[in-house]
Amino acid sequence: MQRFLFLFLLFAATSPVQAQLTLASLKVENQASPIALHTRLPRFGWQITSDKRGTVQTAYEIIVKDAKSTIWTSKVNTNISQWVAYQGPPLVSDHRYEWQLRVWDNHGRVSNWQSGFFMTSLFDISDWKAAWISSGLGSDTVNGTAPMLRKAFETKKKIQTAYVYIAAMGAYEAFMNGQRIGDSYLSPGWTSYQKRLQFHKYEVTNLVARGKNAIGAYIGSGWYRTTLGWVNHKNLSGSTTALMVQLVITYTDGTQETILSDDTWKAAESEIRFSEIYDGETIDDRLRKPNWATATYDDTGWTKVQVQNFPKNNLLPAENEPIRQHESFTPIKIFKTPKGELVADFGQNLVGWVRLKATGNSGTLIKLQFAEVLDKAGNFYTENLRAAKCTDTWTLDGRKDAQFEPHFTFHGFRYVKLEGYPGEITPENIKAIALYSDMEPTGSFECSDSLLNQLQHNIQWGQRGNFLDVPTDCPQRDERLGWTGDAQAFSRTAMYNFDSYAFFSKWLKDVATDQLPSGMVPWVVPNVLSPLNGGSAGWADAATIIPWNLYLAYGDKRILENQYSSMKAWVQFMQDKSKNDLWNTGHHFGDWLFYDVDNDTDGRSAVTDKYYIAQCFFIHSTQNVLNAAKILGNQPDIDRYTELLQRLKSAFLKEYVTPNGRLVSSTQTAYVLALQFDLLPESQRDQAAKFLVDNIKSYKNHLTTGFLGTPYICHVLTRFGYPAVAYDLLLQKTYPSWLYPVTMGATTIWERWDGIKTDGSFQATSMNSFNHYAYGAIGDWMYRNIAGIDHVTDEPAYTNIIIHPQPGGSLTRGSGILHTLYGKVRSEWTLTNDGTMALTVEIPVNTKATIHVPTSNIKNITDKKMPIEGVKDFEWKVTGDVGELRVGSGIYQFEIKK
């Protein structure tokens, strides 16, 4: 024991100090060890951990190597640790690179070297040697079967690595020697296919054998040719599905062999007899072809594929996270409804499908139908799904413990009705599987109010269910489209909950792609509706709002560079449609699904004037473009949009505001937008805020806002000195309010404030989704004001953090965590009976923070039970009754006496 203690002390005494400065989360283009980078000049990022407070990076050194030599080194004295640009020779297509990193800090320490790797994708069309192939089967139609394609091949050397590139017109599920390739679903995802068709790269080194092999794939219609929208559109991108495969095998002797999709492949019908996004999937196991993707399978009866002359110039590597399987749910109850239907309740409204096990005679037909809610009598309810059948069928082939799981569909559901199940079903035989884009969770919120915690749960599950490669409005009925208005309203909340950088940056490229030459932005992206369905205020403004929010959250100037032309084009569209700087033309959704009093005798709940809303968002988008121009250093555009902004605000005041500061639409949304977007002179803002509060009080602290006013209302109230009113709205339990659906058992956000009425009846079946995330935009306010995590606008990506929890209502505790690019930010507070606030704060290395505390006397504050007055870690400032502590990185445990 003494010898061990001696060695320990010796090691501690001789260990270098740099061991206390460590590196983590090494990323390239915000991806950990990517194997398919889509740029020749990538950017690096990393996080730093330290045992010392106030740690800041002072320098970094990066070394990049290929298989033969070092190709770039860079040592720079800077605190920049994200979006660090590679400046070596352009990277080569389909290559692997190693990189090493070390950093220095302001305490005189240097970290150990940390290593990572990245691989490039196929950069050029000429890199594709494979051909597009399709099944050529007569049954391979939008309402027909999903074919199987396969090829056998042989390798004769020892394999070092194997990677496969797969592209599809349609959706694919690929296999190598009987094993599934990758864990993504509905690949290659949903884009504006005619101009942007994604492909994926997978490592299959462990799946390819020396000797005989086989590769194959199912091909389904997916979003490519399925019916989309409510107008029975089919084959929107093409009527023929196709596959392209390029398998690159590198042998240990350094040679390579490439297996390509070509006319040597074969095709056959599969057991997937029908597969469609809205209607579900039909599988007949009697038509299974066991081991069809293995080398020993006899494909003599299969037919030759057709080589297609489809374009390749729209191909691009996938840059966002794929859809993957996530949580699985066991039924909380399996029961018979009053109508005698067999129903499984999974306790959570989710998006995905059911994995079912069964044993029965060959030919036994099992039918599964999906629904979000039960009616007031407790019966299975599907009327709100409209024309979507949302039904899977499975025919057994007589095997014991057979398993069903779909391939190319998904459902939004909590309840599943089963018909034809052989024997008694048990919870062990049925699971619900959640599918959504594999975004990394970044935010969590929790407080002393259980209803607010459930609201946060509902917000996050609404995002999971609707972030299925594109930000959909809803996941269950015959719609499921990328509505721009919903996406922009929720975008900031989305970026708290999950790392949404890649998800939104990919979708924004489709926004720009589908934007018309006039600058008009469609209602939905990808645009599967009419080209003329677009240009609505608050919807099309996604083109400016989301890029700016992305920049604020992640600090990537390239987002603004990529979207700048699109942002400007949308503002130009509004200018072209305006007269005398007023945009008062065109179709607009307005404050969609706002609350309306049935007996509106005094006009207080009148619809907010749609042209008023249009002018508000015209100004807001112009401000966003001006912001982007400043970041990008475009002085001519700074001058142009500064002048335009002044004109637009002047026109707004003349048209919509009285000299006393009243608005032509005396609604909550009207006042909220005017105050949120700084449309009023400062002399009129306090009076307008009072008008807003008076309106709220007249409705006994209830909301009357819709999709466009709701995201901002609590922010406006807090900003203008009414945080108590914001809490009154948030904690309101009766309709219309955020918590009303929670009291009615909601597990996701509803489309309507009263999707289920107090008597148990439903709102209009034509539009009544129970998984619709737009009203979940209140999550942004909860993170920024209850947990108190925000950042200085001029210093994006949480490099200058604001910690400002503002307790209110009946809350005695609140906490939030946000994993930023630089590391974990934590704010956790508790109020005691004597008014003392315990506040724990965590600030990551290489950032700083301003912590707002509810006292103007520094003597009232301790950190880890020690007075902070005079301690060098803290810079103190007082503004009114509030103190501000400016700190560097570290963990702080404050007590603030009243």
Side-chain angles (χ1 to χ4, degrees), residues 490-781:
F490 188 73
S491 60
R492 183 141 184 170
T493 298
M495 295 170 202
Y496 273 108
N497 289 331
F498 293 90
D499 183 348
S500 306
Y501 170 81
F503 180 89
F504 273 127
S505 60
K506 169 256 186 185
W507 184 70
L508 284 172
K509 290 182 175 67
D510 287 305
V511 171
T513 296
D514 282 350
Q515 195 170 8
L516 297 186
S518 65
M520 186 179 77
V521 176
W523 296 341
V524 301
V525 174
N527 188 12
V528 297
L529 306 179
S530 165
L532 300 179
N533 291 153
S536 180
W539 271 249
D541 298 277
T544 69
I545 292 172
I546 299 179
W548 182 245
N549 283 345
L550 273 178
Y551 172 72
L552 292 179
Y554 303 105
D556 180 15
K557 189 165 30 172
R558 191 174 292 176
I559 287 289
L560 299 180
E561 293 171 346
N562 290 341
Q563 298 302 131
Y564 191 58
S565 295
S566 170
M567 296 170 75
K568 289 178 61 176
W570 169 237
V571 170
Q572 187 62 53
F573 174 87
M574 291 185 281
Q575 268 192 278
D576 292 342
K577 298 297 181 182
S578 299
K579 185 176 181 180
N580 298 324
D581 295 318
L582 282 173
W583 185 25
N584 51 13
T585 60
H587 169 83
H588 302 283
F589 293 109
D591 196 27
W592 188 250
L593 296 184
F594 69 97
Y595 167 75
D596 190 7
V597 177
D598 293 333
N599 185 18
D600 184 14
T601 58
D602 59 8
R604 292 177 304 145
S605 66
V607 178
T608 308
D609 185 278
K610 292 182 179 181
Y611 293 144
Y612 171 97
I613 291 174
Q615 188 73 6
C616 290
F617 277 92
F618 188 4
I619 295 170
H620 185 47
S621 277
T622 301
Q623 180 69 66
N624 286 333
V625 174
L626 174 59
N627 293 341
K630 290 178 179 179
I631 299 300
L632 299 177
N634 188 327
Q635 189 60 51
D637 278 357
I638 293 173
D639 297 339
R640 172 189 173 188
Y641 291 110
T642 298
E643 192 267 339
L644 174 61
L645 195 62
Q646 292 171 348
R647 296 201 329 257
L648 296 179
K649 287 186 177 182
S650 177
F652 171 83
L653 293 175
K654 291 177 182 178
E655 184 76 6
Y656 297 113
V657 185
T658 71
N660 292 327
R662 288 195 178 274
L663 306 178
V664 295
S665 290
S666 186
T667 65
Q668 291 177 17
T669 289
Y671 283 105
V672 164
L673 294 182
L675 291 167
Q676 176 69 19
F677 298 157
D678 294 332
L679 307 187
L680 301 173
E682 289 193 20
S683 60
Q684 292 183 339
R685 293 177 186 178
D686 287 341
Q687 182 66 36
K690 185 179 183 303
F691 290 151
L692 171 63
V693 170
D694 290 344
N695 182 293
I696 293 169
K697 294 295 184 183
S698 74
Y699 284 102
K700 299 180 180 179
N701 297 322
H702 288 86
L703 295 157
T704 64
T705 51
F707 277 26
L708 299 184
T710 299
Y712 305 118
I713 189 167
C714 284
H715 288 294
V716 166
L717 290 168
T718 304
R719 173 186 171 189
F720 287 95
Y722 298 97
V725 181
Y727 270 102
D728 288 340
L729 284 176
L730 178 63
L731 297 173
Q732 177 63 253
K733 298 180 182 65
T734 57
Y735 161 76
S737 68
W738 284 288
L739 293 184
Y740 170 73
V742 174
T743 66
M744 297 295 286
T747 61
T748 44
I749 300 297
W750 292 355
E751 180 177 19
R752 293 179 177 270
W753 293 121
D754 61 341
I756 302 176
K757 299 180 182 181
T758 53
D759 64 359
S761 62
F762 296 113
Q763 258 284 4
T765 57
S766 61
M767 197 168 299
N768 197 21
S769 159
F770 295 98
N771 191 353
H772 223 92
Y773 58 73
Y775 287 139
I778 185 60
D780 171 37
W781 187 87

Side-chain angles (χ1 to χ4, degrees), residues 7 32 39 122 191 247 292 345 395 475 482 514 638 644 668 672 690 694 792 802 817 881:
L7 291 173
T39 175
L122 301 180
T191 53
L247 170 63
W292 66 272
D345 175 6
T395 302
D514 282 350
I638 293 173
L644 174 61
Q668 291 177 17
V672 164
K690 185 179 183 303
D694 290 344
V792 176
I802 296 172
I817 290 175
D881 296 330

